[in-house]
Amino acid sequence: MKGWHVAIIIALIGIIGLFYAGLGRDPRSIPSVLVGKEAPPFSGPDVQTGENLSLSSYKGKVVVLNFWASWCQECRLEHQALLSINGQFRSHPDFVMLGIDYQDQPGDAIAFLSSFGSTYPHVRDIKGTIAIDYGVYGVPETFVIDRQGIIRFKYVGPIMGPVYSQMTEQIIRPLLEGREPQRS
């Protein structure tokens, strides 16, 4: 009987410890096994032109890859921030921004881009295979790939506020300047 009490107390202490350890973490910061690994190659039709786009075309560049869909409310929230990131860095010859339209109807995706604006290409992920290769849980999710084709950053959720600042100033800018991104 006394052994059960000790086991319950130890289990409760463990649960409280795990809960306490998780309080200080960003719930959207989901570690990815792909960070630090080579970005999976992909190709697909451009949402607006139908022209085939592939990641290999941008070898040697810093690539921001954003998975989105027209039916995603958080994608609507972050879209202006993504346009701002592209506006901030697109004059740099080694910067590329790509959208990956995930599980969407072509007409809905085109209407979304017409309504909210588009200053960078978007690839249709017709069968969801690009999302599977990147381990996408849901949209929006954003990856930053360095010049060597290695994934250096992943974020689940809208790129806004402190995440926007972190991504632009601690990840993208250092990579474009040939420095290591800052870890926070």
Side-chain angles (χ1 to χ4, degrees):
M1 187 79 159
K2 201 170 189 175
W4 283 98
H5 290 209
V6 172
I8 290 173
I9 290 171
I10 290 172
L12 285 174
I13 290 171
I15 290 170
I16 291 169
L18 288 173
F19 177 74
Y20 183 75
L23 284 178
R25 296 184 176 184
D26 180 354
R28 293 185 180 270
S29 178
I30 298 173
S32 171
V33 295
L34 291 178
V35 173
K37 304 244 167 100
E38 189 171 336
F42 64 83
S43 65
D46 183 289
V47 168
Q48 295 175 303
T49 66
E51 178 183 330
N52 192 53
L53 299 174
S54 69
L55 181 62
S56 63
S57 304
Y58 304 108
K59 192 171 185 173
K61 298 186 182 287
V62 173
V63 179
V64 174
L65 193 63
N66 173 259
F67 288 82
W68 66 277
S70 65
W71 43 264
C72 163
Q73 291 301 316
E74 289 187 321
C75 299
R76 293 170 187 245
L77 293 175
E78 76 169 355
H79 194 73
Q80 290 304 313
L82 296 174
L83 293 174
S84 177
I85 290 170
N86 191 46
Q88 185 176 353
F89 294 106
R90 74 177 168 199
S91 63
H92 195 290
D94 293 336
F95 177 79
V96 172
M97 187 147 186
L98 290 173
I100 304 292
D101 182 34
Y102 173 69
Q103 293 188 344
D104 215 347
Q105 296 297 317
D108 294 342
I110 291 170
F112 178 95
L113 295 174
S114 295
S115 177
F116 293 100
S118 176
T119 58
Y120 53 93
H122 300 270
V123 177
R124 280 190 63 214
D125 189 4
I126 297 171
K127 295 181 179 174
T129 54
I130 301 171
I132 290 170
D133 290 346
Y134 278 80
V136 170
Y137 294 96
V139 288
E141 286 193 27
T142 303
F143 297 80
V144 178
I145 303 167
D146 71 13
R147 289 183 169 118
Q148 290 73 42
I150 305 299
I151 296 174
R152 302 298 293 266
F153 177 79
K154 174 189 177 182
Y155 189 75
V156 177
I159 302 297
M160 299 168 57
V163 176
Y164 176 92
S165 300
Q166 178 196 14
M167 196 169 107
T168 57
E169 300 307 317
Q170 297 178 5
I171 308 294
I172 297 171
R173 189 174 307 282
L175 288 173
L176 288 172
E177 294 173 351
R179 297 182 288 124
E180 278 295 310
Q182 297 175 0
R183 305 278 183 227
S184 56

